Amino acid sequence: MSVTICQSMGFVVSALGIGGIVASTCMDQWSTQDLYNNPVTSVFNYQGLWRTCVRESSGFTECRGYFTILGLPAMFQAVRALMIVGIVLGILGLLVCIFALKCIHIGSMENSAKANMTLTSGIMFIVAGLCAITGVSVFANMLVTNFWMSTANMYQGMQNVQSRYTFGSALFVGWVAGGLALVGGIMMCLACRGLVPEESRYKAVSYHASGRNISYQTGPYKVGSGYEAEAKPRKGTGYEAAPQSEDGRRSYPSKHDYV
């Protein structure tokens, strides 16, 4: 019962994590404009992985996608790749995990096959969570570097060089979603141990039952009622082999033959 609960909880937590990774990838607020020095502004900028948006004070929002790939930084493209890999692995892990659930019976699938599928899906969830956490952390590192560079330029008197950007809500969603996928994958790996049959864990040691199940086969031996001495013919003076009759019996001489 505990194995089923652990497996089901791992599936639910991993599904929430994969959903959060998809949501954070599609969100536009990966970086938002810092309004610390200019709290009153008519234009608010925020950027995502796929497009940049501008929101005016009137409520009108205009978004424009990135029309080029070569013009984007290499680390930015790496973040995109990590998030896509995490989504693909997470979706594949969910498909495998659905068929591996112990509460779902499909044909004559054995517990050993479900254990292997559970372990595979758990590894996929772990890798997907690590990809999401790594991608979000790399993007956050880029923001921190650009923020302090912009701050240094502002203190030098170049205030109109560029706007400063800080963490957006998509980063926090990505961190939480990656953590959920990682925890769900660990739970699936733990549930795999309970699905392995007991006899397959100790294949190297075999135990036999007591003597009641052991069968003995008798060899080609003849059992007699007593001890029978085999008659051997003696050779010497005064002893001659007794002739045999037609029926195979030996005939011994009578007393009239010695006269």
PDB file of all heavy atoms in Angstrom, residues 179-210:
ATOM      1  N   GLY A 179      12.144  22.198  -8.765  1.00  0.00           N
ATOM      2  CA  GLY A 179      12.249  21.478  -7.504  1.00  0.00           C
ATOM      3  C   GLY A 179      11.173  20.413  -7.342  1.00  0.00           C
ATOM      4  O   GLY A 179      11.445  19.315  -6.853  1.00  0.00           O
ATOM      5  N   LEU A 180       9.940  20.727  -7.760  1.00  0.00           N
ATOM      6  CA  LEU A 180       8.871  19.730  -7.682  1.00  0.00           C
ATOM      7  C   LEU A 180       9.156  18.537  -8.585  1.00  0.00           C
ATOM      8  O   LEU A 180       8.928  17.374  -8.196  1.00  0.00           O
ATOM      9  CB  LEU A 180       7.533  20.369  -8.064  1.00  0.00           C
ATOM     10  CG  LEU A 180       6.943  21.369  -7.067  1.00  0.00           C
ATOM     11  CD1 LEU A 180       5.663  21.992  -7.628  1.00  0.00           C
ATOM     12  CD2 LEU A 180       6.655  20.700  -5.727  1.00  0.00           C
ATOM     13  N   ALA A 181       9.634  18.785  -9.796  1.00  0.00           N
ATOM     14  CA  ALA A 181       9.972  17.684 -10.703  1.00  0.00           C
ATOM     15  C   ALA A 181      11.102  16.837 -10.129  1.00  0.00           C
ATOM     16  O   ALA A 181      11.089  15.601 -10.246  1.00  0.00           O
ATOM     17  CB  ALA A 181      10.348  18.232 -12.079  1.00  0.00           C
ATOM     18  N   LEU A 182      12.060  17.470  -9.496  1.00  0.00           N
ATOM     19  CA  LEU A 182      13.169  16.727  -8.887  1.00  0.00           C
ATOM     20  C   LEU A 182      12.689  15.860  -7.731  1.00  0.00           C
ATOM     21  O   LEU A 182      13.068  14.681  -7.619  1.00  0.00           O
ATOM     22  CB  LEU A 182      14.228  17.721  -8.422  1.00  0.00           C
ATOM     23  CG  LEU A 182      15.529  17.141  -7.848  1.00  0.00           C
ATOM     24  CD1 LEU A 182      16.261  16.331  -8.901  1.00  0.00           C
ATOM     25  CD2 LEU A 182      16.427  18.264  -7.343  1.00  0.00           C
ATOM     26  N   VAL A 183      11.849  16.405  -6.865  1.00  0.00           N
ATOM     27  CA  VAL A 183      11.321  15.635  -5.732  1.00  0.00           C
ATOM     28  C   VAL A 183      10.439  14.486  -6.224  1.00  0.00           C
ATOM     29  O   VAL A 183      10.500  13.358  -5.707  1.00  0.00           O
ATOM     30  CB  VAL A 183      10.549  16.564  -4.779  1.00  0.00           C
ATOM     31  CG1 VAL A 183       9.829  15.755  -3.697  1.00  0.00           C
ATOM     32  CG2 VAL A 183      11.485  17.568  -4.145  1.00  0.00           C
ATOM     33  N   GLY A 184       9.601  14.757  -7.230  1.00  0.00           N
ATOM     34  CA  GLY A 184       8.766  13.693  -7.782  1.00  0.00           C
ATOM     35  C   GLY A 184       9.580  12.575  -8.395  1.00  0.00           C
ATOM     36  O   GLY A 184       9.240  11.390  -8.253  1.00  0.00           O
ATOM     37  N   GLY A 185      10.677  12.908  -9.071  1.00  0.00           N
ATOM     38  CA  GLY A 185      11.536  11.867  -9.628  1.00  0.00           C
ATOM     39  C   GLY A 185      12.192  11.023  -8.553  1.00  0.00           C
ATOM     40  O   GLY A 185      12.324   9.798  -8.705  1.00  0.00           O
ATOM     41  N   ILE A 186      12.611  11.635  -7.457  1.00  0.00           N
ATOM     42  CA  ILE A 186      13.198  10.871  -6.350  1.00  0.00           C
ATOM     43  C   ILE A 186      12.164   9.934  -5.734  1.00  0.00           C
ATOM     44  O   ILE A 186      12.471   8.777  -5.397  1.00  0.00           O
ATOM     45  CB  ILE A 186      13.770  11.831  -5.304  1.00  0.00           C
ATOM     46  CG1 ILE A 186      14.952  12.618  -5.890  1.00  0.00           C
ATOM     47  CG2 ILE A 186      14.209  11.076  -4.053  1.00  0.00           C
ATOM     48  CD1 ILE A 186      15.498  13.686  -4.975  1.00  0.00           C
ATOM     49  N   MET A 187      10.929  10.390  -5.592  1.00  0.00           N
ATOM     50  CA  MET A 187       9.873   9.524  -5.050  1.00  0.00           C
ATOM     51  C   MET A 187       9.591   8.348  -5.976  1.00  0.00           C
ATOM     52  O   MET A 187       9.340   7.225  -5.519  1.00  0.00           O
ATOM     53  CB  MET A 187       8.604  10.351  -4.825  1.00  0.00           C
ATOM     54  CG  MET A 187       8.733  11.412  -3.758  1.00  0.00           C
ATOM     55  SD  MET A 187       7.234  12.408  -3.549  1.00  0.00           S
ATOM     56  CE  MET A 187       6.117  11.182  -2.911  1.00  0.00           C
ATOM     57  N   MET A 188       9.643   8.567  -7.275  1.00  0.00           N
ATOM     58  CA  MET A 188       9.433   7.466  -8.219  1.00  0.00           C
ATOM     59  C   MET A 188      10.560   6.440  -8.130  1.00  0.00           C
ATOM     60  O   MET A 188      10.327   5.231  -8.211  1.00  0.00           O
ATOM     61  CB  MET A 188       9.331   8.015  -9.638  1.00  0.00           C
ATOM     62  CG  MET A 188       8.126   8.905  -9.874  1.00  0.00           C
ATOM     63  SD  MET A 188       6.545   8.060  -9.677  1.00  0.00           S
ATOM     64  CE  MET A 188       6.598   6.962 -11.071  1.00  0.00           C
ATOM     65  N   CYS A 189      11.781   6.912  -7.952  1.00  0.00           N
ATOM     66  CA  CYS A 189      12.906   5.987  -7.803  1.00  0.00           C
ATOM     67  C   CYS A 189      12.797   5.181  -6.515  1.00  0.00           C
ATOM     68  O   CYS A 189      13.152   4.002  -6.481  1.00  0.00           O
ATOM     69  CB  CYS A 189      14.223   6.756  -7.849  1.00  0.00           C
ATOM     70  SG  CYS A 189      14.604   7.501  -9.454  1.00  0.00           S
ATOM     71  N   LEU A 190      12.302   5.807  -5.449  1.00  0.00           N
ATOM     72  CA  LEU A 190      12.097   5.070  -4.201  1.00  0.00           C
ATOM     73  C   LEU A 190      10.977   4.051  -4.338  1.00  0.00           C
ATOM     74  O   LEU A 190      11.050   2.953  -3.769  1.00  0.00           O
ATOM     75  CB  LEU A 190      11.789   6.050  -3.065  1.00  0.00           C
ATOM     76  CG  LEU A 190      12.924   6.991  -2.647  1.00  0.00           C
ATOM     77  CD1 LEU A 190      12.453   7.938  -1.558  1.00  0.00           C
ATOM     78  CD2 LEU A 190      14.139   6.202  -2.184  1.00  0.00           C
ATOM     79  N   ALA A 191       9.929   4.392  -5.070  1.00  0.00           N
ATOM     80  CA  ALA A 191       8.829   3.444  -5.276  1.00  0.00           C
ATOM     81  C   ALA A 191       9.252   2.264  -6.123  1.00  0.00           C
ATOM     82  O   ALA A 191       8.642   1.190  -6.041  1.00  0.00           O
ATOM     83  CB  ALA A 191       7.645   4.165  -5.933  1.00  0.00           C
ATOM     84  N   CYS A 192      10.283   2.422  -6.922  1.00  0.00           N
ATOM     85  CA  CYS A 192      10.745   1.314  -7.761  1.00  0.00           C
ATOM     86  C   CYS A 192      11.251   0.153  -6.930  1.00  0.00           C
ATOM     87  O   CYS A 192      11.085  -1.006  -7.307  1.00  0.00           O
ATOM     88  CB  CYS A 192      11.834   1.819  -8.719  1.00  0.00           C
ATOM     89  SG  CYS A 192      12.692   0.530  -9.641  1.00  0.00           S
ATOM     90  N   ARG A 193      11.872   0.417  -5.790  1.00  0.00           N
ATOM     91  CA  ARG A 193      12.399  -0.651  -4.946  1.00  0.00           C
ATOM     92  C   ARG A 193      11.293  -1.544  -4.402  1.00  0.00           C
ATOM     93  O   ARG A 193      11.481  -2.738  -4.223  1.00  0.00           O
ATOM     94  CB  ARG A 193      13.207  -0.056  -3.799  1.00  0.00           C
ATOM     95  CG  ARG A 193      14.469   0.668  -4.248  1.00  0.00           C
ATOM     96  CD  ARG A 193      15.175   1.292  -3.057  1.00  0.00           C
ATOM     97  NE  ARG A 193      15.492   0.289  -2.054  1.00  0.00           N
ATOM     98  CZ  ARG A 193      16.597  -0.438  -2.043  1.00  0.00           C
ATOM     99  NH1 ARG A 193      17.497  -0.271  -3.006  1.00  0.00           N
ATOM    100  NH2 ARG A 193      16.819  -1.319  -1.088  1.00  0.00           N
ATOM    101  N   GLY A 194      10.133  -0.963  -4.130  1.00  0.00           N
ATOM    102  CA  GLY A 194       9.034  -1.767  -3.608  1.00  0.00           C
ATOM    103  C   GLY A 194       8.337  -2.604  -4.658  1.00  0.00           C
ATOM    104  O   GLY A 194       7.615  -3.550  -4.326  1.00  0.00           O
ATOM    105  N   LEU A 195       8.512  -2.274  -5.941  1.00  0.00           N
ATOM    106  CA  LEU A 195       7.867  -3.031  -7.012  1.00  0.00           C
ATOM    107  C   LEU A 195       8.688  -4.217  -7.478  1.00  0.00           C
ATOM    108  O   LEU A 195       8.178  -5.067  -8.194  1.00  0.00           O
ATOM    109  CB  LEU A 195       7.602  -2.110  -8.214  1.00  0.00           C
ATOM    110  CG  LEU A 195       6.551  -1.014  -8.007  1.00  0.00           C
ATOM    111  CD1 LEU A 195       6.491  -0.109  -9.221  1.00  0.00           C
ATOM    112  CD2 LEU A 195       5.187  -1.617  -7.736  1.00  0.00           C
ATOM    113  N   VAL A 196       9.968  -4.289  -7.086  1.00  0.00           N
ATOM    114  CA  VAL A 196      10.814  -5.395  -7.513  1.00  0.00           C
ATOM    115  C   VAL A 196      10.401  -6.647  -6.756  1.00  0.00           C
ATOM    116  O   VAL A 196      10.304  -6.624  -5.525  1.00  0.00           O
ATOM    117  CB  VAL A 196      12.297  -5.071  -7.257  1.00  0.00           C
ATOM    118  CG1 VAL A 196      13.180  -6.245  -7.635  1.00  0.00           C
ATOM    119  CG2 VAL A 196      12.688  -3.835  -8.042  1.00  0.00           C
ATOM    120  N   PRO A 197      10.121  -7.767  -7.427  1.00  0.00           N
ATOM    121  CA  PRO A 197       9.733  -8.988  -6.719  1.00  0.00           C
ATOM    122  C   PRO A 197      10.844  -9.468  -5.788  1.00  0.00           C
ATOM    123  O   PRO A 197      12.029  -9.259  -6.040  1.00  0.00           O
ATOM    124  CB  PRO A 197       9.475  -9.990  -7.858  1.00  0.00           C
ATOM    125  CG  PRO A 197       9.208  -9.140  -9.067  1.00  0.00           C
ATOM    126  CD  PRO A 197      10.051  -7.908  -8.877  1.00  0.00           C
ATOM    127  N   GLU A 198      10.432 -10.147  -4.712  1.00  0.00           N
ATOM    128  CA  GLU A 198      11.392 -10.590  -3.722  1.00  0.00           C
ATOM    129  C   GLU A 198      12.331 -11.646  -4.274  1.00  0.00           C
ATOM    130  O   GLU A 198      13.507 -11.681  -3.942  1.00  0.00           O
ATOM    131  CB  GLU A 198      10.652 -11.168  -2.496  1.00  0.00           C
ATOM    132  CG  GLU A 198       9.857 -10.138  -1.721  1.00  0.00           C
ATOM    133  CD  GLU A 198      10.744  -9.141  -1.017  1.00  0.00           C
ATOM    134  OE1 GLU A 198      11.930  -9.481  -0.782  1.00  0.00           O
ATOM    135  OE2 GLU A 198      10.286  -8.030  -0.724  1.00  0.00           O
ATOM    136  N   GLU A 199      11.822 -12.579  -5.129  1.00  0.00           N
ATOM    137  CA  GLU A 199      12.672 -13.665  -5.601  1.00  0.00           C
ATOM    138  C   GLU A 199      13.756 -13.175  -6.529  1.00  0.00           C
ATOM    139  O   GLU A 199      14.798 -13.803  -6.681  1.00  0.00           O
ATOM    140  CB  GLU A 199      11.831 -14.722  -6.318  1.00  0.00           C
ATOM    141  CG  GLU A 199      11.057 -14.211  -7.530  1.00  0.00           C
ATOM    142  CD  GLU A 199       9.686 -13.700  -7.128  1.00  0.00           C
ATOM    143  OE1 GLU A 199       9.451 -13.579  -5.914  1.00  0.00           O
ATOM    144  OE2 GLU A 199       8.875 -13.432  -8.029  1.00  0.00           O
ATOM    145  N   SER A 200      13.558 -12.026  -7.179  1.00  0.00           N
ATOM    146  CA  SER A 200      14.576 -11.515  -8.089  1.00  0.00           C
ATOM    147  C   SER A 200      15.705 -10.800  -7.365  1.00  0.00           C
ATOM    148  O   SER A 200      16.730 -10.506  -7.960  1.00  0.00           O
ATOM    149  CB  SER A 200      13.936 -10.558  -9.104  1.00  0.00           C
ATOM    150  OG  SER A 200      13.399  -9.443  -8.447  1.00  0.00           O
ATOM    151  N   ARG A 201      15.521 -10.500  -6.082  1.00  0.00           N
ATOM    152  CA  ARG A 201      16.578  -9.820  -5.329  1.00  0.00           C
ATOM    153  C   ARG A 201      17.648 -10.792  -4.865  1.00  0.00           C
ATOM    154  O   ARG A 201      18.774 -10.416  -4.613  1.00  0.00           O
ATOM    155  CB  ARG A 201      15.995  -9.098  -4.113  1.00  0.00           C
ATOM    156  CG  ARG A 201      14.978  -8.030  -4.451  1.00  0.00           C
ATOM    157  CD  ARG A 201      14.501  -7.337  -3.189  1.00  0.00           C
ATOM    158  NE  ARG A 201      13.475  -6.350  -3.481  1.00  0.00           N
ATOM    159  CZ  ARG A 201      12.862  -5.616  -2.557  1.00  0.00           C
ATOM    160  NH1 ARG A 201      13.190  -5.757  -1.290  1.00  0.00           N
ATOM    161  NH2 ARG A 201      11.920  -4.751  -2.905  1.00  0.00           N
ATOM    162  N   TYR A 202      17.299 -12.073  -4.727  1.00  0.00           N
ATOM    163  CA  TYR A 202      18.235 -13.062  -4.218  1.00  0.00           C
ATOM    164  C   TYR A 202      18.377 -14.197  -5.212  1.00  0.00           C
ATOM    165  O   TYR A 202      18.060 -15.339  -4.932  1.00  0.00           O
ATOM    166  CB  TYR A 202      17.759 -13.604  -2.866  1.00  0.00           C
ATOM    167  CG  TYR A 202      17.450 -12.535  -1.861  1.00  0.00           C
ATOM    168  CD1 TYR A 202      16.138 -12.110  -1.647  1.00  0.00           C
ATOM    169  CD2 TYR A 202      18.467 -11.927  -1.139  1.00  0.00           C
ATOM    170  CE1 TYR A 202      15.860 -11.114  -0.732  1.00  0.00           C
ATOM    171  CE2 TYR A 202      18.187 -10.928  -0.225  1.00  0.00           C
ATOM    172  CZ  TYR A 202      16.887 -10.534  -0.028  1.00  0.00           C
ATOM    173  OH  TYR A 202      16.609  -9.553   0.870  1.00  0.00           O
ATOM    174  N   LYS A 203      18.796 -13.856  -6.399  1.00  0.00           N
ATOM    175  CA  LYS A 203      18.951 -14.873  -7.430  1.00  0.00           C
ATOM    176  C   LYS A 203      20.200 -15.710  -7.198  1.00  0.00           C
ATOM    177  O   LYS A 203      20.290 -16.836  -7.679  1.00  0.00           O
ATOM    178  CB  LYS A 203      19.023 -14.196  -8.800  1.00  0.00           C
ATOM    179  CG  LYS A 203      17.714 -13.580  -9.235  1.00  0.00           C
ATOM    180  CD  LYS A 203      17.834 -12.998 -10.624  1.00  0.00           C
ATOM    181  CE  LYS A 203      16.495 -12.416 -11.063  1.00  0.00           C
ATOM    182  NZ  LYS A 203      16.588 -11.815 -12.423  1.00  0.00           N
ATOM    183  N   ALA A 204      21.184 -15.164  -6.506  1.00  0.00           N
ATOM    184  CA  ALA A 204      22.428 -15.892  -6.340  1.00  0.00           C
ATOM    185  C   ALA A 204      22.316 -17.004  -5.308  1.00  0.00           C
ATOM    186  O   ALA A 204      23.106 -17.938  -5.313  1.00  0.00           O
ATOM    187  CB  ALA A 204      23.547 -14.946  -5.931  1.00  0.00           C
ATOM    188  N   VAL A 205      21.345 -16.962  -4.408  1.00  0.00           N
ATOM    189  CA  VAL A 205      21.181 -17.950  -3.348  1.00  0.00           C
ATOM    190  C   VAL A 205      19.885 -18.697  -3.582  1.00  0.00           C
ATOM    191  O   VAL A 205      18.829 -18.091  -3.750  1.00  0.00           O
ATOM    192  CB  VAL A 205      21.150 -17.267  -1.956  1.00  0.00           C
ATOM    193  CG1 VAL A 205      21.013 -18.314  -0.868  1.00  0.00           C
ATOM    194  CG2 VAL A 205      22.405 -16.440  -1.767  1.00  0.00           C
ATOM    195  N   SER A 206      19.962 -20.027  -3.618  1.00  0.00           N
ATOM    196  CA  SER A 206      18.769 -20.852  -3.825  1.00  0.00           C
ATOM    197  C   SER A 206      18.623 -21.784  -2.640  1.00  0.00           C
ATOM    198  O   SER A 206      19.592 -22.398  -2.176  1.00  0.00           O
ATOM    199  CB  SER A 206      18.883 -21.651  -5.122  1.00  0.00           C
ATOM    200  OG  SER A 206      20.017 -22.489  -5.081  1.00  0.00           O
ATOM    201  N   TYR A 207      17.428 -21.913  -2.159  1.00  0.00           N
ATOM    202  CA  TYR A 207      17.115 -22.748  -1.015  1.00  0.00           C
ATOM    203  C   TYR A 207      16.225 -23.892  -1.476  1.00  0.00           C
ATOM    204  O   TYR A 207      15.295 -23.688  -2.252  1.00  0.00           O
ATOM    205  CB  TYR A 207      16.408 -21.946   0.082  1.00  0.00           C
ATOM    206  CG  TYR A 207      17.240 -20.809   0.619  1.00  0.00           C
ATOM    207  CD1 TYR A 207      17.098 -19.526   0.096  1.00  0.00           C
ATOM    208  CD2 TYR A 207      18.167 -21.021   1.635  1.00  0.00           C
ATOM    209  CE1 TYR A 207      17.864 -18.475   0.578  1.00  0.00           C
ATOM    210  CE2 TYR A 207      18.933 -19.976   2.125  1.00  0.00           C
ATOM    211  CZ  TYR A 207      18.774 -18.719   1.600  1.00  0.00           C
ATOM    212  OH  TYR A 207      19.516 -17.689   2.073  1.00  0.00           O
ATOM    213  N   HIS A 208      16.526 -25.097  -0.963  1.00  0.00           N
ATOM    214  CA  HIS A 208      15.733 -26.277  -1.284  1.00  0.00           C
ATOM    215  C   HIS A 208      14.979 -26.714  -0.040  1.00  0.00           C
ATOM    216  O   HIS A 208      15.444 -26.544   1.093  1.00  0.00           O
ATOM    217  CB  HIS A 208      16.619 -27.422  -1.770  1.00  0.00           C
ATOM    218  CG  HIS A 208      17.352 -27.096  -3.037  1.00  0.00           C
ATOM    219  ND1 HIS A 208      16.757 -27.091  -4.274  1.00  0.00           N
ATOM    220  CD2 HIS A 208      18.647 -26.719  -3.233  1.00  0.00           C
ATOM    221  CE1 HIS A 208      17.646 -26.745  -5.189  1.00  0.00           C
ATOM    222  NE2 HIS A 208      18.800 -26.516  -4.586  1.00  0.00           N
ATOM    223  N   ALA A 209      13.871 -27.297  -0.263  1.00  0.00           N
ATOM    224  CA  ALA A 209      13.054 -27.769   0.856  1.00  0.00           C
ATOM    225  C   ALA A 209      13.684 -29.011   1.469  1.00  0.00           C
ATOM    226  O   ALA A 209      14.679 -29.557   0.972  1.00  0.00           O
ATOM    227  CB  ALA A 209      11.633 -28.044   0.388  1.00  0.00           C
ATOM    228  N   SER A 210      13.080 -29.473   2.546  1.00  0.00           N
ATOM    229  CA  SER A 210      13.598 -30.630   3.247  1.00  0.00           C
ATOM    230  C   SER A 210      13.370 -31.898   2.449  1.00  0.00           C
ATOM    231  O   SER A 210      12.851 -31.880   1.337  1.00  0.00           O
ATOM    232  CB  SER A 210      12.950 -30.730   4.626  1.00  0.00           C
ATOM    233  OG  SER A 210      11.555 -30.808   4.464  1.00  0.00           O
TER     234      SER A 210
END
